[in-house]
Amino acid sequence: MNIHTDSASLEKSLFLFRDGKKIGFVPTMGALHEGHLSLVSNALDANDCVVVSIFVNPTQFDNASDLKKYPRNLQEDVSLLQKIKGKVLVYAPDKSDIYPGEVVSKQYRYGGIEFEMEGKHRKGHFDGVGTIVGLLLKIVKPNSAYFGEKDFQQLQIVKKLVQIEKLPVKIIGCPIVREKNGLAMSSRNRRLTPKQLEDATILYKTLQEVRRKFKPYSISQLNELVKERFLNSSLKLEYFEIANEKTLATAKYKRKGNTYRGFIAAHAGSVRLIDNMPLN
Ligand code: PAF
């Protein structure tokens, strides 16, 4: 399997596919797991070839230590991708191929969704995501690009980004892939101890409980319930919000006709985890 470290070499390989064939794209930061592999498999089902990018993007991290500790293992990632049947190209660019000059983000306005949840808690995160996804989409020029719903807000941001940048690409959201115990798959799970891996199921379990109680309980009761569940946990709750699925605005009351999702972020030691679930 060829690993392209610069866009010119990737373009050479993609050249054959530009003529009437379909190119799918799965952007990743590596440390691949089954969640990523399911994105690749969805992409292969609908395209003639799939580009997987592997790049730990510095501009989307608001925390230097999180960036430093982000798991990196290109060899392992490549051997996982090699097992897949179908045409997969790996683009693992050098930093200079993506950011030839200063390593900085472009600033975006996404119509307000950038100020909610992750936007409030991770300063500059979505400018960094918009910058890298925009750059990658312009290099790969895929027909469709695939993103996991674990980062539900990111998925909505990327949908807005392609409208703002007028990029001719279909953005496809794919369901969250979970461990047997319910924990949403994430590259960051690799940094958890066996006990933390077990304790971290509180994110999923709490979201499930909120979903079960969504009809009879008010939103403020549900917010209280989540806080209580975390009181005796080894994980530290950063936020829990019930938000309107379309606008991502925090919901205070349920309104007929709206759909809602529960969003949660918590820390297991120094590892930050997020999850979300539709509620109605
Ligand atoms: O979801 C991720 O892994 C990253 O945010 C992405 C989309 C690859 C951009 O760096």
mmCIF file of all heavy atoms in Angstrom, residues 25-30 36 39 53-61 70 99 122 125-126 128-133 136 146-148 150-151 154 158 187-188, ligand 1:
data_model
loop_
_atom_site.group_PDB
_atom_site.id
_atom_site.type_symbol
_atom_site.label_atom_id
_atom_site.label_comp_id
_atom_site.label_asym_id
_atom_site.label_seq_id
_atom_site.Cartn_x
_atom_site.Cartn_y
_atom_site.Cartn_z
ATOM 1 N N PHE A 25 -13.979 9.785 0.739
ATOM 2 C CA PHE A 25 -12.913 10.319 1.585
ATOM 3 C C PHE A 25 -13.269 10.144 3.060
ATOM 4 O O PHE A 25 -14.372 10.464 3.485
ATOM 5 C CB PHE A 25 -12.717 11.808 1.262
ATOM 6 C CG PHE A 25 -11.670 12.490 2.104
ATOM 7 C CD1 PHE A 25 -10.463 11.855 2.419
ATOM 8 C CD2 PHE A 25 -11.875 13.776 2.585
ATOM 9 C CE1 PHE A 25 -9.503 12.483 3.197
ATOM 10 C CE2 PHE A 25 -10.912 14.418 3.357
ATOM 11 C CZ PHE A 25 -9.732 13.768 3.668
ATOM 12 N N VAL A 26 -12.307 9.614 3.814
ATOM 13 C CA VAL A 26 -12.466 9.477 5.263
ATOM 14 C C VAL A 26 -11.301 10.202 5.937
ATOM 15 O O VAL A 26 -10.183 9.671 5.990
ATOM 16 C CB VAL A 26 -12.493 7.981 5.685
ATOM 17 C CG1 VAL A 26 -12.622 7.862 7.198
ATOM 18 C CG2 VAL A 26 -13.626 7.240 4.991
ATOM 19 N N PRO A 27 -11.527 11.407 6.442
ATOM 20 C CA PRO A 27 -10.445 12.106 7.146
ATOM 21 C C PRO A 27 -10.324 11.588 8.569
ATOM 22 O O PRO A 27 -11.341 11.388 9.244
ATOM 23 C CB PRO A 27 -10.906 13.573 7.153
ATOM 24 C CG PRO A 27 -12.381 13.540 6.955
ATOM 25 C CD PRO A 27 -12.749 12.221 6.336
ATOM 26 N N THR A 28 -9.099 11.328 9.016
ATOM 27 C CA THR A 28 -8.894 10.836 10.383
ATOM 28 C C THR A 28 -7.640 11.483 10.981
ATOM 29 O O THR A 28 -6.842 12.087 10.266
ATOM 30 C CB THR A 28 -8.684 9.301 10.439
ATOM 31 O OG1 THR A 28 -7.305 9.011 10.116
ATOM 32 C CG2 THR A 28 -9.584 8.536 9.492
ATOM 33 N N MET A 29 -7.511 11.291 12.286
ATOM 34 C CA MET A 29 -6.254 11.693 12.929
ATOM 35 C C MET A 29 -5.479 10.438 13.353
ATOM 36 O O MET A 29 -4.629 10.489 14.246
ATOM 37 C CB MET A 29 -6.546 12.593 14.134
ATOM 38 C CG MET A 29 -7.234 13.904 13.708
ATOM 39 S SD MET A 29 -6.997 15.273 14.834
ATOM 40 C CE MET A 29 -7.827 14.691 16.269
ATOM 41 N N GLY A 30 -5.785 9.317 12.682
ATOM 42 C CA GLY A 30 -5.051 8.085 12.964
ATOM 43 C C GLY A 30 -5.521 7.410 14.232
ATOM 44 O O GLY A 30 -6.616 7.685 14.717
ATOM 45 N N HIS A 36 -13.577 4.023 12.665
ATOM 46 C CA HIS A 36 -13.001 4.508 11.400
ATOM 47 C C HIS A 36 -13.218 3.476 10.290
ATOM 48 O O HIS A 36 -13.527 3.824 9.163
ATOM 49 C CB HIS A 36 -11.484 4.727 11.539
ATOM 50 C CG HIS A 36 -11.107 5.811 12.512
ATOM 51 N ND1 HIS A 36 -10.428 5.556 13.682
ATOM 52 C CD2 HIS A 36 -11.302 7.149 12.473
ATOM 53 C CE1 HIS A 36 -10.217 6.693 14.322
ATOM 54 N NE2 HIS A 36 -10.731 7.663 13.623
ATOM 55 N N LEU A 39 -16.448 3.654 8.726
ATOM 56 C CA LEU A 39 -16.560 4.789 7.777
ATOM 57 C C LEU A 39 -15.961 4.379 6.430
ATOM 58 O O LEU A 39 -16.530 4.651 5.368
ATOM 59 C CB LEU A 39 -15.813 6.025 8.299
ATOM 60 C CG LEU A 39 -16.301 6.678 9.602
ATOM 61 C CD1 LEU A 39 -15.410 7.867 9.970
ATOM 62 C CD2 LEU A 39 -17.739 7.140 9.478
ATOM 63 N N SER A 53 -7.232 9.928 5.085
ATOM 64 C CA SER A 53 -6.129 10.803 5.499
ATOM 65 C C SER A 53 -5.836 10.556 6.968
ATOM 66 O O SER A 53 -6.738 10.268 7.766
ATOM 67 C CB SER A 53 -6.455 12.280 5.251
ATOM 68 O OG SER A 53 -7.504 12.695 6.078
ATOM 69 N N ILE A 54 -4.562 10.632 7.299
ATOM 70 C CA ILE A 54 -4.108 10.444 8.685
ATOM 71 C C ILE A 54 -3.235 11.642 9.021
ATOM 72 O O ILE A 54 -2.125 11.790 8.505
ATOM 73 C CB ILE A 54 -3.314 9.123 8.824
ATOM 74 C CG1 ILE A 54 -4.218 7.930 8.474
ATOM 75 C CG2 ILE A 54 -2.743 8.991 10.245
ATOM 76 C CD1 ILE A 54 -3.526 6.578 8.503
ATOM 77 N N PHE A 55 -3.784 12.531 9.833
ATOM 78 C CA PHE A 55 -3.038 13.745 10.163
ATOM 79 C C PHE A 55 -3.558 14.299 11.485
ATOM 80 O O PHE A 55 -4.744 14.607 11.606
ATOM 81 C CB PHE A 55 -3.217 14.792 9.049
ATOM 82 C CG PHE A 55 -2.476 16.077 9.303
ATOM 83 C CD1 PHE A 55 -1.087 16.112 9.304
ATOM 84 C CD2 PHE A 55 -3.170 17.255 9.552
ATOM 85 C CE1 PHE A 55 -0.397 17.301 9.548
ATOM 86 C CE2 PHE A 55 -2.490 18.450 9.795
ATOM 87 C CZ PHE A 55 -1.098 18.464 9.795
ATOM 88 N N VAL A 56 -2.674 14.362 12.470
ATOM 89 C CA VAL A 56 -3.075 14.936 13.763
ATOM 90 C C VAL A 56 -2.948 16.454 13.621
ATOM 91 O O VAL A 56 -1.847 16.998 13.582
ATOM 92 C CB VAL A 56 -2.200 14.388 14.914
ATOM 93 C CG1 VAL A 56 -2.663 14.970 16.247
ATOM 94 C CG2 VAL A 56 -2.269 12.857 14.961
ATOM 95 N N ASN A 57 -4.103 17.084 13.489
ATOM 96 C CA ASN A 57 -4.139 18.504 13.122
ATOM 97 C C ASN A 57 -3.930 19.410 14.333
ATOM 98 O O ASN A 57 -4.820 19.525 15.184
ATOM 99 C CB ASN A 57 -5.508 18.797 12.485
ATOM 100 C CG ASN A 57 -5.702 20.272 12.253
ATOM 101 O OD1 ASN A 57 -4.762 20.963 11.846
ATOM 102 N ND2 ASN A 57 -6.902 20.755 12.521
ATOM 103 N N PRO A 58 -2.779 20.082 14.403
ATOM 104 C CA PRO A 58 -2.489 20.870 15.609
ATOM 105 C C PRO A 58 -3.460 22.015 15.855
ATOM 106 O O PRO A 58 -3.718 22.363 17.001
ATOM 107 C CB PRO A 58 -1.069 21.413 15.354
ATOM 108 C CG PRO A 58 -0.817 21.245 13.905
ATOM 109 C CD PRO A 58 -1.688 20.136 13.411
ATOM 110 N N THR A 59 -4.041 22.581 14.774
ATOM 111 C CA THR A 59 -4.845 23.801 14.989
ATOM 112 C C THR A 59 -6.201 23.539 15.637
ATOM 113 O O THR A 59 -6.891 24.484 16.006
ATOM 114 C CB THR A 59 -5.057 24.580 13.670
ATOM 115 O OG1 THR A 59 -5.795 23.753 12.761
ATOM 116 C CG2 THR A 59 -3.751 24.994 13.032
ATOM 117 N N GLN A 60 -6.606 22.267 15.775
ATOM 118 C CA GLN A 60 -7.901 22.023 16.410
ATOM 119 C C GLN A 60 -7.778 21.661 17.885
ATOM 120 O O GLN A 60 -8.769 21.370 18.535
ATOM 121 C CB GLN A 60 -8.696 20.966 15.640
ATOM 122 C CG GLN A 60 -8.164 19.554 15.739
ATOM 123 C CD GLN A 60 -8.898 18.627 14.789
ATOM 124 O OE1 GLN A 60 -8.692 18.647 13.574
ATOM 125 N NE2 GLN A 60 -9.778 17.781 15.327
ATOM 126 N N PHE A 61 -6.535 21.649 18.398
ATOM 127 C CA PHE A 61 -6.331 21.325 19.818
ATOM 128 C C PHE A 61 -6.215 22.622 20.609
ATOM 129 O O PHE A 61 -5.424 23.496 20.252
ATOM 130 C CB PHE A 61 -5.051 20.503 20.004
ATOM 131 C CG PHE A 61 -5.193 19.076 19.552
ATOM 132 C CD1 PHE A 61 -5.096 18.750 18.205
ATOM 133 C CD2 PHE A 61 -5.438 18.057 20.468
ATOM 134 C CE1 PHE A 61 -5.230 17.429 17.778
ATOM 135 C CE2 PHE A 61 -5.581 16.736 20.042
ATOM 136 C CZ PHE A 61 -5.464 16.427 18.697
ATOM 137 N N TYR A 70 -1.833 12.720 22.027
ATOM 138 C CA TYR A 70 -2.747 12.077 21.087
ATOM 139 C C TYR A 70 -2.050 10.850 20.482
ATOM 140 O O TYR A 70 -0.923 10.949 20.001
ATOM 141 C CB TYR A 70 -3.181 13.061 19.986
ATOM 142 C CG TYR A 70 -4.453 12.592 19.336
ATOM 143 C CD1 TYR A 70 -5.690 12.906 19.883
ATOM 144 C CD2 TYR A 70 -4.418 11.769 18.212
ATOM 145 C CE1 TYR A 70 -6.863 12.424 19.315
ATOM 146 C CE2 TYR A 70 -5.589 11.280 17.648
ATOM 147 C CZ TYR A 70 -6.803 11.622 18.204
ATOM 148 O OH TYR A 70 -7.960 11.125 17.654
ATOM 149 N N TYR A 99 0.341 22.806 6.077
ATOM 150 C CA TYR A 99 0.592 24.182 6.528
ATOM 151 C C TYR A 99 1.988 24.605 6.065
ATOM 152 O O TYR A 99 2.945 24.513 6.838
ATOM 153 C CB TYR A 99 0.516 24.265 8.057
ATOM 154 C CG TYR A 99 -0.841 23.925 8.652
ATOM 155 C CD1 TYR A 99 -1.053 22.736 9.343
ATOM 156 C CD2 TYR A 99 -1.907 24.814 8.537
ATOM 157 C CE1 TYR A 99 -2.295 22.430 9.900
ATOM 158 C CE2 TYR A 99 -3.151 24.517 9.090
ATOM 159 C CZ TYR A 99 -3.331 23.326 9.769
ATOM 160 O OH TYR A 99 -4.557 23.033 10.321
ATOM 161 N N ARG A 122 -14.072 24.291 23.961
ATOM 162 C CA ARG A 122 -12.750 24.124 23.320
ATOM 163 C C ARG A 122 -12.522 25.311 22.396
ATOM 164 O O ARG A 122 -12.916 25.271 21.221
ATOM 165 C CB ARG A 122 -12.697 22.802 22.537
ATOM 166 C CG ARG A 122 -12.971 21.592 23.398
ATOM 167 C CD ARG A 122 -12.833 20.319 22.591
ATOM 168 N NE ARG A 122 -11.451 20.038 22.241
ATOM 169 C CZ ARG A 122 -11.070 19.088 21.392
ATOM 170 N NH1 ARG A 122 -11.983 18.351 20.790
ATOM 171 N NH2 ARG A 122 -9.808 18.874 21.122
ATOM 172 N N HIS A 125 -11.539 25.409 18.486
ATOM 173 C CA HIS A 125 -11.561 24.041 17.962
ATOM 174 C C HIS A 125 -12.178 23.973 16.564
ATOM 175 O O HIS A 125 -11.608 23.391 15.641
ATOM 176 C CB HIS A 125 -12.329 23.147 18.944
ATOM 177 C CG HIS A 125 -12.556 21.754 18.458
ATOM 178 N ND1 HIS A 125 -11.516 20.884 18.205
ATOM 179 C CD2 HIS A 125 -13.694 21.064 18.154
ATOM 180 C CE1 HIS A 125 -12.008 19.729 17.780
ATOM 181 N NE2 HIS A 125 -13.319 19.821 17.735
ATOM 182 N N PHE A 126 -13.338 24.601 16.399
ATOM 183 C CA PHE A 126 -14.024 24.461 15.110
ATOM 184 C C PHE A 126 -13.381 25.302 14.000
ATOM 185 O O PHE A 126 -13.569 25.013 12.821
ATOM 186 C CB PHE A 126 -15.517 24.749 15.253
ATOM 187 C CG PHE A 126 -16.234 23.633 15.975
ATOM 188 C CD1 PHE A 126 -17.037 23.897 17.068
ATOM 189 C CD2 PHE A 126 -16.080 22.316 15.574
ATOM 190 C CE1 PHE A 126 -17.677 22.871 17.740
ATOM 191 C CE2 PHE A 126 -16.708 21.268 16.235
ATOM 192 C CZ PHE A 126 -17.520 21.553 17.321
ATOM 193 N N GLY A 128 -10.156 25.333 13.735
ATOM 194 C CA GLY A 128 -9.125 24.353 13.360
ATOM 195 C C GLY A 128 -9.704 23.231 12.524
ATOM 196 O O GLY A 128 -9.118 22.820 11.507
ATOM 197 N N VAL A 129 -10.882 22.736 12.919
ATOM 198 C CA VAL A 129 -11.523 21.651 12.166
ATOM 199 C C VAL A 129 -11.899 22.153 10.765
ATOM 200 O O VAL A 129 -11.640 21.484 9.760
ATOM 201 C CB VAL A 129 -12.777 21.111 12.915
ATOM 202 C CG1 VAL A 129 -13.599 20.199 12.016
ATOM 203 C CG2 VAL A 129 -12.373 20.378 14.186
ATOM 204 N N GLY A 130 -12.501 23.342 10.697
ATOM 205 C CA GLY A 130 -12.899 23.901 9.403
ATOM 206 C C GLY A 130 -11.692 24.081 8.497
ATOM 207 O O GLY A 130 -11.732 23.773 7.298
ATOM 208 N N THR A 131 -10.596 24.559 9.086
ATOM 209 C CA THR A 131 -9.382 24.811 8.305
ATOM 210 C C THR A 131 -8.854 23.505 7.705
ATOM 211 O O THR A 131 -8.622 23.416 6.499
ATOM 212 C CB THR A 131 -8.300 25.449 9.210
ATOM 213 O OG1 THR A 131 -8.845 26.641 9.763
ATOM 214 C CG2 THR A 131 -7.037 25.777 8.426
ATOM 215 N N ILE A 132 -8.703 22.492 8.548
ATOM 216 C CA ILE A 132 -8.101 21.248 8.036
ATOM 217 C C ILE A 132 -9.049 20.513 7.091
ATOM 218 O O ILE A 132 -8.630 20.034 6.033
ATOM 219 C CB ILE A 132 -7.639 20.316 9.200
ATOM 220 C CG1 ILE A 132 -6.891 19.091 8.659
ATOM 221 C CG2 ILE A 132 -8.780 19.828 10.067
ATOM 222 C CD1 ILE A 132 -5.610 19.404 7.983
ATOM 223 N N VAL A 133 -10.340 20.470 7.436
ATOM 224 C CA VAL A 133 -11.263 19.733 6.564
ATOM 225 C C VAL A 133 -11.376 20.461 5.216
ATOM 226 O O VAL A 133 -11.362 19.825 4.157
ATOM 227 C CB VAL A 133 -12.645 19.523 7.243
ATOM 228 C CG1 VAL A 133 -13.639 18.895 6.275
ATOM 229 C CG2 VAL A 133 -12.495 18.637 8.488
ATOM 230 N N LEU A 136 -8.190 19.669 3.261
ATOM 231 C CA LEU A 136 -8.167 18.269 2.800
ATOM 232 C C LEU A 136 -9.169 18.048 1.657
ATOM 233 O O LEU A 136 -8.861 17.356 0.681
ATOM 234 C CB LEU A 136 -8.457 17.313 3.957
ATOM 235 C CG LEU A 136 -7.360 17.200 5.028
ATOM 236 C CD1 LEU A 136 -7.869 16.439 6.256
ATOM 237 C CD2 LEU A 136 -6.105 16.513 4.477
ATOM 238 N N TYR A 146 -16.982 11.134 4.605
ATOM 239 C CA TYR A 146 -17.693 10.389 5.651
ATOM 240 C C TYR A 146 -17.198 10.792 7.036
ATOM 241 O O TYR A 146 -15.980 10.795 7.294
ATOM 242 C CB TYR A 146 -17.485 8.880 5.424
ATOM 243 C CG TYR A 146 -18.085 8.443 4.100
ATOM 244 C CD1 TYR A 146 -17.440 8.750 2.893
ATOM 245 C CD2 TYR A 146 -19.309 7.801 4.046
ATOM 246 C CE1 TYR A 146 -18.010 8.405 1.671
ATOM 247 C CE2 TYR A 146 -19.885 7.443 2.831
ATOM 248 C CZ TYR A 146 -19.229 7.751 1.646
ATOM 249 O OH TYR A 146 -19.788 7.411 0.434
ATOM 250 N N PHE A 147 -18.147 11.108 7.910
ATOM 251 C CA PHE A 147 -17.820 11.551 9.273
ATOM 252 C C PHE A 147 -18.703 10.792 10.264
ATOM 253 O O PHE A 147 -19.883 10.553 9.993
ATOM 254 C CB PHE A 147 -18.087 13.057 9.426
ATOM 255 C CG PHE A 147 -17.174 13.911 8.591
ATOM 256 C CD1 PHE A 147 -17.437 14.115 7.241
ATOM 257 C CD2 PHE A 147 -16.037 14.493 9.143
ATOM 258 C CE1 PHE A 147 -16.581 14.880 6.455
ATOM 259 C CE2 PHE A 147 -15.182 15.258 8.365
ATOM 260 C CZ PHE A 147 -15.453 15.454 7.020
ATOM 261 N N GLY A 148 -18.125 10.470 11.419
ATOM 262 C CA GLY A 148 -18.883 9.731 12.435
ATOM 263 C C GLY A 148 -19.780 10.661 13.247
ATOM 264 O O GLY A 148 -19.430 11.816 13.502
ATOM 265 N N LYS A 150 -20.317 10.427 16.305
ATOM 266 C CA LYS A 150 -19.833 10.672 17.678
ATOM 267 C C LYS A 150 -19.501 12.153 17.827
ATOM 268 O O LYS A 150 -19.774 12.767 18.843
ATOM 269 C CB LYS A 150 -18.620 9.813 18.026
ATOM 270 C CG LYS A 150 -18.211 10.024 19.484
ATOM 271 C CD LYS A 150 -17.131 9.095 19.917
ATOM 272 C CE LYS A 150 -15.783 9.563 19.442
ATOM 273 N NZ LYS A 150 -15.310 10.783 20.153
ATOM 274 N N ASP A 151 -18.924 12.714 16.769
ATOM 275 C CA ASP A 151 -18.663 14.158 16.743
ATOM 276 C C ASP A 151 -19.810 14.813 15.977
ATOM 277 O O ASP A 151 -19.626 15.330 14.872
ATOM 278 C CB ASP A 151 -17.316 14.428 16.073
ATOM 279 C CG ASP A 151 -16.177 13.798 16.857
ATOM 280 O OD1 ASP A 151 -15.880 14.276 17.949
ATOM 281 O OD2 ASP A 151 -15.612 12.798 16.372
ATOM 282 N N GLN A 154 -19.381 18.418 15.059
ATOM 283 C CA GLN A 154 -18.390 18.543 13.976
ATOM 284 C C GLN A 154 -19.041 18.241 12.619
ATOM 285 O O GLN A 154 -18.793 18.925 11.627
ATOM 286 C CB GLN A 154 -17.234 17.586 14.239
ATOM 287 C CG GLN A 154 -16.317 17.372 13.045
ATOM 288 C CD GLN A 154 -15.091 16.550 13.386
ATOM 289 O OE1 GLN A 154 -14.151 17.075 13.931
ATOM 290 N NE2 GLN A 154 -15.099 15.269 13.055
ATOM 291 N N VAL A 158 -19.135 20.691 9.471
ATOM 292 C CA VAL A 158 -18.571 20.362 8.150
ATOM 293 C C VAL A 158 -19.630 20.555 7.054
ATOM 294 O O VAL A 158 -19.323 21.032 5.956
ATOM 295 C CB VAL A 158 -17.997 18.926 8.152
ATOM 296 C CG1 VAL A 158 -17.595 18.499 6.750
ATOM 297 C CG2 VAL A 158 -16.802 18.829 9.091
ATOM 298 N N SER A 187 -10.267 7.183 19.472
ATOM 299 C CA SER A 187 -8.821 6.954 19.549
ATOM 300 C C SER A 187 -8.321 7.218 20.968
ATOM 301 O O SER A 187 -7.353 6.617 21.423
ATOM 302 C CB SER A 187 -8.101 7.886 18.575
ATOM 303 O OG SER A 187 -8.603 7.675 17.279
ATOM 304 N N ARG A 188 -8.997 8.130 21.656
ATOM 305 C CA ARG A 188 -8.562 8.490 23.014
ATOM 306 C C ARG A 188 -8.775 7.341 24.007
ATOM 307 O O ARG A 188 -8.152 7.331 25.062
ATOM 308 C CB ARG A 188 -9.317 9.720 23.497
ATOM 309 C CG ARG A 188 -8.886 10.989 22.793
ATOM 310 C CD ARG A 188 -9.499 12.209 23.466
ATOM 311 N NE ARG A 188 -8.877 13.423 23.004
ATOM 312 C CZ ARG A 188 -9.258 14.110 21.935
ATOM 313 N NH1 ARG A 188 -10.263 13.675 21.214
ATOM 314 N NH2 ARG A 188 -8.632 15.211 21.576
HETATM 315 O O1 PAF B 1 -12.779 13.766 13.688
HETATM 316 C C1 PAF B 1 -11.535 13.847 13.523
HETATM 317 O O2 PAF B 1 -10.793 12.874 13.675
HETATM 318 C C2 PAF B 1 -10.933 15.174 13.112
HETATM 319 O O3 PAF B 1 -11.596 16.228 13.721
HETATM 320 C C3 PAF B 1 -10.856 15.373 11.597
HETATM 321 C C4 PAF B 1 -12.235 15.433 10.963
HETATM 322 C C5 PAF B 1 -10.052 14.249 10.961
HETATM 323 C C6 PAF B 1 -10.147 16.694 11.278
HETATM 324 O O4 PAF B 1 -8.827 16.703 11.785
#
